[in-house]
Amino acid sequence: MKENVWNTYEEEDLKKIYQLGEDYKIFISNSKTEREVVENSINIIKSYGFRDLREMIEEKKSLVPGDKIYVNNKEKSLALFIIGEEDIEKGMNILGAHIDSPRLDLKATPLYEDTSFAYFDTHYYGGIKKYQWVTLPLALHGVVVKKDGTKVSINIGERETDPVVGITDLLPHLGEKQMKKEASKVIEGEDLDILIGTRPLKKEEEGKEEDLVKNNILKLLKELYKIEEEDFLSAEIEVTPAGKAKDFGLDRSMVMAYGQDDKVCAFTSLKAFLKVGQCKKTTSCILVDKEEIGSVGSTGMQSTFYENAILEIASLLGKKELTSLSRILSNSNMLSSDVNAAYDPLYSDVMDKRNASYFNNGVVFCKYTGSRGKYDSNDANAEYIAKIRNVLDQNNVHFQISELGKVDIGGGGTIAYILANKNVNVIDCGVGVLSMHAPWEVTSKSDIYEAYKCYKAFLKDMD
Ligand code: MN
Ligand code: MN
């Protein structure tokens, strides 16, 4: 463990750290899903003069240094570019974070009634410990798209006056058998059903005879959102913990929030990208969906949407040859901005103490993620890491290099390998997290600040 970075700060740093913490709590409280991150980010960038790539293609507008462009991919991922002074074929400096987080998704036929309780049936998304999701206040976020294309936004459980929903658990008095099960079986996936109501429709109302509680919920949904039961077939409703991010710790040195993996890096990347603005190199910030389930799908990092966006931008810069794309990619630098598992003294046995990341030791670099013998990792090049070290030291950024747990224990993946496969220089770099993938995760404000400083330095000074 290095020196605690709080010891190195002057009064002015402390002000900045706490202010950044306040901005972060607002952002993450209002951006719990990938759709909400995209919507809120687009609202932010519009005031910076970003323009939609599609409009620029239609207008056949030539791009010039300083131009700011965004690509909204299906409302669930976002790519941003600021054209630099130098030829784009010399490469870009790219920050990439993911904006999806573990959660429960409603199934396509979610609504049912059992013993006069109305429930939503769910399918969990990403790696969760299922037992953590019971007896918590939960909120519903998402969209219902009707056949005519009308989109209804759903956000229930976050406002002070909103109701919340949740999953029940067995009382300890009757829990003897349950408590003997292994933790992965204590609560099983099919039991993650959300209790949403108990009040029946009056029998004479609307001629319904049975499932009166469920029908009452349907009546409510129709009144409030003009949706029918069938509309759940084309809906994406995500169940997240309800409530806002909070200062954590009596000294307010930490933040507790849902979805910090990886919105803490999405927030700091976006903020750094906007703050730095135009550079010598073209800069880019990618906020992608689906990392938690393998970066698949049209909105995940494995989709061609990002390369297509680069091709279109190159073309608007007058570079119509395919070779441009390969030159841009192979000359580019990227930080895969993703969180790291911070050392937790309560679970010290899974970490190699000399190669772990620590709270308040700065932004965390991870040369390789993967698992058991570096399998599936991108393993960043030493030459690349040396360049980054130099930039960070020049900019007084506190950083540490870590592995993700002991070598034989586990591991994990990020989006790093995907761009690395396209010959981009990539390394993982982000904020240490405690209780990762739990409904409420914890980060340190000093680490958030150092990540922000790191991303700014990288965009500005990596050559
Ligand atoms: Mn992550
Ligand atoms: Mn994750």
Side-chain angles (χ1 to χ4, degrees):
M1 206 175 160
K2 298 186 189 177
E3 192 195 1
N4 192 310
V5 294
W6 288 99
N7 294 334
T8 68
Y9 293 138
E10 309 280 338
E11 201 51 46
E12 201 181 314
D13 294 305
L14 294 172
K15 262 193 216 149
K16 284 184 192 162
I17 291 171
Y18 282 106
Q19 187 53 52
L20 187 66
E22 293 306 306
D23 295 348
Y24 172 51
K25 284 185 291 172
I26 293 169
F27 179 87
I28 196 161
S29 298
N30 295 324
S31 312
K32 289 197 173 177
T33 66
E34 54 284 352
R35 283 181 188 269
E36 289 172 358
V37 175
V38 168
E39 193 185 337
N40 293 334
S41 301
I42 288 177
N43 285 337
I44 294 169
I45 61 165
K46 282 207 168 147
S47 65
Y48 284 79
F50 278 78
R51 294 202 49 207
D52 191 332
L53 178 63
R54 278 170 305 191
E55 284 173 22
M56 303 184 102
I57 294 168
E58 268 170 37
E59 293 168 17
K60 297 195 174 57
K61 193 180 170 297
S62 306
L63 291 172
V64 293
D67 277 344
K68 298 170 177 171
I69 309 118
Y70 75 90
V71 181
N72 170 357
N73 186 24
K74 301 178 172 66
E75 320 293 329
K76 292 195 276 190
S77 52
L78 190 63
L80 307 171
F81 299 87
I82 300 177
I83 306 300
E85 288 143 31
E86 185 177 88
D87 185 346
I88 194 171
E89 288 186 1
K90 295 205 168 140
M92 303 188 291
N93 286 340
I94 307 166
L95 296 174
H98 69 90
I99 53 176
D100 61 318
S101 299
R103 59 178 192 249
L104 310 175
D105 286 344
L106 294 200
K107 288 185 181 176
T109 304
L111 185 58
Y112 73 93
E113 175 169 339
D114 189 343
T115 329
S116 295
F117 286 130
Y119 289 99
F120 276 147
D121 195 356
T122 67
H123 193 138
Y124 57 94
Y125 172 99
I128 61 166
K129 288 176 163 177
K130 291 161 210 151
Y131 66 79
Q132 292 176 334
W133 286 77
V134 297
T135 69
L136 285 178
L138 299 175
L140 303 166
H141 294 252
V143 293
V144 179
V145 187
K146 300 205 273 187
K147 274 200 290 186
D148 65 1
T150 336
K151 207 179 273 186
V152 184
S153 282
I154 306 283
N155 187 325
I156 306 170
E158 301 293 356
R159 279 164 297 260
E160 210 48 59
T161 51
D162 275 0
V164 294
V165 291
I167 304 165
T168 54
D169 195 3
L170 187 58
L171 64 169
H173 319 61
L174 300 177
E176 197 188 331
K177 213 170 111 196
Q178 182 197 35
M179 296 301 281
K180 286 187 182 132
K181 292 182 183 174
E182 54 181 289
S184 63
K185 298 274 165 63
V186 169
I187 303 289
E188 300 205 45
E190 283 299 351
D191 297 328
L192 291 173
D193 290 0
I194 318 282
L195 179 59
I196 55 165
T198 61
R199 187 174 159 183
L201 203 67
K202 282 205 181 74
K203 261 204 175 151
E204 58 272 21
E205 269 183 79
E206 312 187 11
K208 303 279 184 193
E209 290 286 328
E210 48 190 39
D211 285 352
L212 294 173
V213 177
K214 170 184 158 176
N215 277 302
N216 192 41
I217 293 283
L218 281 170
K219 187 181 160 210
L220 267 172
L221 291 175
K222 190 161 189 175
E223 280 168 11
L224 291 171
Y225 299 102
K226 301 188 172 55
I227 52 177
E228 311 276 349
E229 188 170 11
E230 294 72 31
D231 292 327
F232 282 113
L233 294 174
S234 47
E236 281 177 2
I237 298 177
E238 305 179 9
V239 185
T240 71
K244 290 184 164 60
K246 289 257 184 192
D247 281 343
F248 192 74
L250 301 183
D251 57 4
R252 298 180 183 269
S253 62
M254 298 169 276
V255 173
M256 175 178 252
Y258 162 72
Q260 300 203 67
D261 173 7
D262 182 33
K263 290 173 201 102
V264 66
C265 297
F267 167 78
T268 41
S269 293
L270 178 64
K271 201 169 171 77
F273 174 78
L274 294 173
K275 176 79 183 173
V276 167
Q278 191 196 339
C279 296
K280 196 171 103 192
K281 280 189 179 295
T282 294
T283 54
S284 178
C285 176
I286 327 172
L287 305 176
V288 278
D289 183 26
K290 298 283 184 281
E291 190 276 342
E292 296 293 356
I293 58 168
S295 296
V296 290
S298 60
T299 54
M301 195 71 248
Q302 297 198 52
S303 152
T304 55
F305 94 93
Y306 188 59
E307 276 163 278
N308 290 347
I310 298 172
L311 269 172
E312 295 284 4
I313 284 169
S315 160
L316 295 178
L317 284 164
K319 298 184 178 296
K320 316 252 178 202
E321 307 283 327
L322 251 183
T323 45
S324 265
L325 180 67
S326 64
R327 286 176 195 153
I328 295 168
L329 289 171
S330 58
N331 289 325
S332 287
N333 303 312
M334 179 186 184
L335 294 182
S336 158
S337 359
D338 206 345
V339 295
N340 196 274
Y343 182 86
D344 183 340
L346 300 182
Y347 300 97
S348 57
D349 58 322
V350 299
M351 298 286 187
D352 165 17
K353 266 195 147 177
R354 285 182 306 280
N355 285 286
S357 68
Y358 294 89
F359 260 35
N360 304 317
N361 270 204
V363 63
V364 188
F365 282 80
C366 195
K367 178 168 155 53
Y368 39 84
T369 53
S371 57
R372 297 178 185 85
K374 300 193 176 181
Y375 197 82
D376 273 344
S377 79
N378 66 308
D379 210 358
N381 295 317
E383 292 84 346
Y384 180 54
I385 301 176
K387 268 193 187 176
I388 293 177
R389 280 175 58 202
N390 192 35
V391 167
L392 298 181
D393 284 346
Q394 280 170 5
N395 286 275
N396 297 316
V397 177
H398 296 275
F399 70 97
Q400 48 184 328
I401 294 207
S402 161
E403 300 220 344
L404 194 64
K406 279 186 178 164
V407 291
D408 283 337
I409 285 191
T414 63
I415 62 169
Y417 73 95
I418 301 163
L419 269 288
N421 285 349
K422 302 186 198 299
N423 207 16
V424 175
N425 275 311
V426 190
I427 186 167
D428 280 302
C429 166
V431 175
V433 175
L434 291 179
S435 307
M436 198 195 291
H437 282 209
W440 296 99
E441 301 171 318
V442 179
T443 53
S444 162
K445 289 183 185 174
S446 76
D447 297 333
I448 299 172
Y449 178 62
E450 295 299 332
Y452 171 61
K453 274 167 58 188
C454 163
Y455 297 152
K456 282 195 298 186
F458 172 85
L459 290 172
K460 195 162 55 71
D461 292 340
M462 267 305 275
D463 211 1

